[in-house]
Amino acid sequence: MAGADFRSSDGGGCGGWREMKRFGLQVLLGRWFMVFASFLIMAMSGATYMFSLYSTDIKSSLGYDQSTLNLLSFFKDVGGNVGLLPGVINEVSPPWVILSAGVVMNFFGYFMIWLAITGKIAKPKVWQMCLYICIGANSQTFATTGALVTCVKNFPESRGSVLGLLKGFVGLSGAIMTQVYHAFYGDDSKAFILLIAWLPAAVSFIFLRTIRIMKIVRQSNEIKVFYQLLYISLGLASFLMILIIIQNKFRFTRIEYIGGAIVVLILLFLPVAVAIKEEYDIWKSKKVVFSDPSQVKIVTENPPEVELPLSTQPPESLPSKASDPAATSAEKQTSCFENIFKPPERGEDYTILQALFSLDMLVLFIAATCGIGGTLTAVDNLGQIGHSLGYPSRSITTFVSLVSIWNYLGRVVSGFASEILLKKYKIPRPLLLSIVLLFTCAGHILIAFPSSNSLYFASVILGFCFGAQWPLMYAIISEIFGLKYYSTLYNFGAVASPVGSYILNVVIAGDLYDKEALKQMKALGLTRKEGEDLTCNGVQCYRMSSIIITAATLFGSFASFILTLRTRKFYKGDIYKKFRDEAEGAENVTGSSGIITEERKCEARGGHQ
């Protein structure tokens, strides 16, 4: 059918070829192809969640104890979450600038780590390794700021779905890249670091100019398209889950790994078909309007000039203080300093300082620090937890893949479900965040008091809850503080993760692990040699730290509930009304200008006949 439409244009093959080129250009420049490109970038941006896959190689190759490894993990979390720099840069530059910086940082950071653990360079000092992993992980904030923030601004009314899908692909990235790694390198775990050095950088480089801010356009089937993309991603997640189960039961050959990776990549690229279909429908509808003048309704809007009384005249027409330089200077001073503690209504555009000094931001930051920080501590230590409880190496890989898939499910479920619950039933997102944090405690308790195979269930619970927290937090920030400075505020919210991770992972979990390991060595009459890694075995290694993390997560749930009480009136209103009004206004202006342009073309053609 598409081919017939192309051939019928201009009555010949040349015209049809020109139409195909125009349509291809429309697809590449369209909103939906930009969404597809964002999916691919996000699907390669989850290296920080795969730390447990290569942390053992770092520990054994460089002779680190658990505290040093946890310090490295902390700097990985700092890099992966402190994205204030890309946020500020994105406020004043196009997305391709920060995507380019992310490409360079990703390759440099992880390539240097690969050189270190393979012995191709002299053993780096601990601070150098911390710097390398921080730079490599920080590239993730450049990629996600460029892709995710841009998509939210392009689809403001569907932000919950957009956040859920994009953050969901970040969650799936661990499972996706694990399959690609096995296809490229077999079971060489050190080569996995080389893969995460070049592959994400290559994908971001390819789509540098595709990711950009576009004019907001209301599309009646927009949410249906996102549901189609959701179903494709669910199919990808389901296939990955089945593949992981089979790989856990049977030993795959290299050819079988390659076959599995090919199917994964086909499913990963399937959203481009949805993008092409949507752009074709838009292209066809435009063609019908411009080729059939009877369907064009010309509306002239020439309102009569009415002299307004002085009290109702717009401010610019009044003899105002704006022309007075002294008044202008006073206004600027007021807006920069005094207004920090005089924020607008919730939902309006806060300045960066107004948002940072807001009590709502403080409460949300505390909830995220306790909740995300605690969950990230458990996820980062899953490999060590598994080894301490006597699970085989193949099971450790399964834990990481389970966390990745359920991380994805948590993100898409929280994104789409919170959008439905908010629009239909006015259930505020902070309440849903509080419920998710309560559920997270079950995963921590399973680690503190393990039973047979309980770590599999803990991986599922922690993966789902870890994923569910991110879209909720980012959506809450965008809804309460507006989208004007979302690039910066989005990245400020992410700072809660490394803060919580440092307190709960480095200070608490790592220290308690090393103390227990030294106690076990002392009981065996052994002393630790310099450069020898510390290994702890048994349920006591992570019991006390998991109990502390459970208590912190409960406190985070309570803080989120306080935010629910503070914002309940705001969430009962229509929080998306202003975006609908803006889009409708843009459509009216675009429609009127398009009709007038087409009318002039018709008159010109008539004049030449």
Side-chain angles (χ1 to χ4, degrees):
M1 192 171 90
D5 284 338
F6 291 130
R7 285 193 299 272
S8 63
S9 300
D10 297 332
C14 289
W17 176 245
R18 279 198 299 272
E19 287 294 303
M20 286 183 71
K21 284 173 68 177
R22 285 177 198 157
F23 172 66
L25 192 61
Q26 178 178 314
V27 170
L28 293 176
L29 298 178
R31 288 198 311 163
W32 295 110
F33 188 79
M34 193 269 305
V35 171
F36 162 70
S38 299
F39 285 170
L40 291 187
I41 291 173
M42 301 299 274
M44 299 293 125
S45 298
T48 54
Y49 303 131
M50 294 174 267
F51 181 71
S52 55
L53 275 181
Y54 56 86
S55 60
T56 305
D57 286 316
I58 294 175
K59 188 178 181 182
S60 58
S61 299
L62 303 177
Y64 290 163
D65 58 20
Q66 191 62 32
S67 293
T68 306
L69 189 67
N70 282 7
L71 182 66
L72 207 65
S73 174
F74 164 70
F75 276 95
K76 179 264 300 178
D77 294 335
V78 168
N81 293 282
V82 180
L84 294 177
L85 179 61
V88 172
I89 294 173
N90 199 45
E91 302 288 1
V92 295
S93 66
W96 68 264
V97 174
I98 56 172
L99 288 174
S100 301
V103 167
V104 176
M105 293 169 65
N106 184 90
F107 183 78
F108 172 78
Y110 287 111
F111 187 66
M112 292 303 294
I113 294 172
W114 177 75
L115 291 176
I117 67 168
T118 53
K120 297 185 185 298
I121 58 173
K123 179 182 174 181
K125 295 179 180 177
V126 172
W127 70 265
Q128 290 175 311
M129 286 295 291
C130 290
L131 179 64
Y132 296 152
I133 200 164
C134 188
I135 291 172
N138 197 233
S139 68
Q140 178 179 312
T141 67
F142 282 77
T144 55
T145 299
L148 187 144
V149 173
T150 304
C151 274
V152 170
K153 288 185 175 182
N154 288 341
F155 297 90
E157 287 187 62
S158 302
R159 69 186 72 180
S161 305
V162 170
L163 284 166
L165 273 171
L166 289 175
K167 296 302 288 183
F169 273 96
V170 175
L172 272 184
S173 63
I176 293 170
M177 291 190 70
T178 300
Q179 298 304 320
V180 175
Y181 143 67
H182 282 306
F184 273 100
Y185 301 109
D187 291 320
D188 182 3
S189 56
K190 290 182 180 178
F192 183 65
I193 300 176
L194 180 61
L195 179 73
I196 59 180
W198 69 263
L199 185 57
V203 172
S204 291
F205 182 78
I206 290 169
F207 294 110
L208 279 182
R209 302 312 294 266
T210 305
I211 308 297
R212 66 203 185 284
I213 299 290
M214 304 174 77
K215 184 172 64 180
I216 298 173
V217 178
R218 289 201 77 203
Q219 197 170 326
S220 59
N221 69 331
E222 183 174 290
I223 193 64
K224 290 183 179 177
V225 179
F226 281 118
Y227 272 107
Q228 290 172 13
L229 296 171
L230 170 65
Y231 299 146
I232 291 172
S233 65
L234 284 171
L236 173 60
S238 301
F239 177 76
L240 283 167
M241 174 72 91
I242 294 167
L243 193 60
I244 288 165
I245 292 170
I246 295 172
Q247 287 172 349
N248 193 45
K249 295 288 182 185
F250 307 100
R251 185 169 294 277
F252 268 37
T253 64
R254 184 75 175 277
I255 297 297
E256 289 166 338
Y257 276 127
I258 291 171
I262 289 171
V263 177
V264 168
L265 291 176
I266 289 171
L267 291 170
L268 183 61
F269 277 81
L270 202 54
V272 76
V274 175
I276 292 171
K277 178 186 177 298
E278 288 307 311
E279 292 299 336
Y280 176 70
D281 290 342
I282 294 168
W283 180 82
K284 196 165 63 171
S285 62
K286 283 181 182 177
K287 197 174 169 188
V288 168
V289 168
F290 290 134
S291 63
D292 188 358
S294 65
Q295 296 191 29
V296 178
K297 186 169 78 173
I298 300 172
V299 179
T300 50
E301 294 182 3
N302 233 349
E305 292 184 7
V306 179
E307 183 127 357
L308 298 173
L310 191 64
S311 61
T312 60
Q313 285 184 14
E316 60 268 20
S317 65
L318 293 173
S320 67
K321 298 174 187 173
S323 57
D324 184 0
T328 306
S329 175
E331 274 182 22
K332 284 181 181 175
Q333 287 182 354
T334 299
S335 64
C336 289
F337 299 103
E338 293 182 15
N339 281 352
I340 292 174
F341 300 104
K342 295 178 183 177
E345 294 292 319
R346 291 187 181 99
E348 297 301 319
D349 290 322
Y350 281 54
T351 66
I352 294 172
L353 291 177
Q354 283 173 340
L356 297 187
F357 284 94
S358 163
L359 188 57
D360 289 340
M361 180 65 88
L362 176 63
V363 175
L364 181 60
F365 191 85
I366 291 171
T369 299
C370 296
I372 297 175
T375 318
L376 186 59
T377 298
V379 169
D380 279 349
N381 285 287
L382 261 182
Q384 306 299 322
I385 294 168
H387 283 301
S388 70
L389 295 175
Y391 286 89
S393 296
R394 191 183 292 184
S395 293
I396 306 297
T397 307
T398 303
F399 296 149
V400 174
S401 297
L402 282 172
V403 166
S404 180
I405 290 170
W406 285 91
N407 184 2
Y408 153 79
L409 287 171
R411 291 170 193 242
V412 296
V413 168
S414 72
F416 280 85
S418 66
E419 195 78 12
I420 294 167
L421 293 171
L422 177 62
K423 287 181 176 178
K424 286 192 174 181
Y425 307 106
K426 303 295 181 184
I427 295 176
R429 289 193 220 260
L431 178 60
L432 298 175
L433 179 59
S434 186
I435 293 168
V436 167
L437 291 178
L438 273 178
F439 186 45
T440 308
C441 295
H444 296 309
I445 290 170
L446 283 173
I447 293 174
F449 302 98
S451 59
S452 178
N453 293 323
S454 63
L455 204 53
Y456 288 98
F457 297 103
S459 301
V460 169
I461 293 170
L462 292 172
F464 181 87
C465 293
F466 182 65
Q469 292 170 53
W470 289 105
L472 291 172
M473 182 184 72
Y474 290 143
I476 291 166
I477 290 172
S478 73
E479 287 160 353
I480 294 177
F481 306 111
L483 290 176
K484 187 173 183 181
Y485 298 105
Y486 185 54
S487 293
T488 303
L489 298 178
Y490 156 88
N491 282 295
F492 176 77
V495 172
S497 177
V499 171
S501 176
Y502 179 78
I503 297 168
L504 298 171
N505 194 5
V506 179
V507 176
I508 294 174
D511 186 59
L512 290 174
Y513 179 96
D514 284 344
K515 283 180 179 177
E516 183 62 31
L518 288 170
K519 189 192 296 184
Q520 290 179 4
M521 287 187 75
K522 191 175 180 182
L524 294 171
L526 302 173
T527 54
R528 187 192 174 206
K529 298 174 184 176
E530 188 178 348
E532 183 183 5
D533 65 313
L534 269 175
T535 304
C536 177
N537 295 300
V539 297
Q540 297 299 328
C541 300
Y542 284 96
R543 173 164 288 172
M544 183 52 66
S545 58
S546 295
I547 292 171
I548 294 170
I549 291 169
T550 303
T553 307
L554 280 171
F555 182 75
S557 178
F558 177 69
S560 183
F561 185 69
I562 291 174
L563 185 62
T564 303
L565 298 178
R566 288 179 54 82
T567 58
R568 64 188 184 281
K569 185 178 177 183
F570 165 67
Y571 277 103
K572 282 181 181 176
D574 187 355
I575 64 174
Y576 292 154
K577 184 177 184 299
K578 73 171 186 175
F579 297 106
R580 283 198 300 273
D581 293 343
E582 287 175 11
E584 285 169 5
E587 280 178 5
N588 290 337
V589 171
T590 306
S592 300
S593 61
I595 289 166
I596 290 166
T597 304
E598 186 63 21
E599 188 184 23
R600 285 174 181 167
K601 284 181 182 176
C602 292
E603 286 174 358
R605 283 198 297 267
H608 287 299
Q609 284 175 354

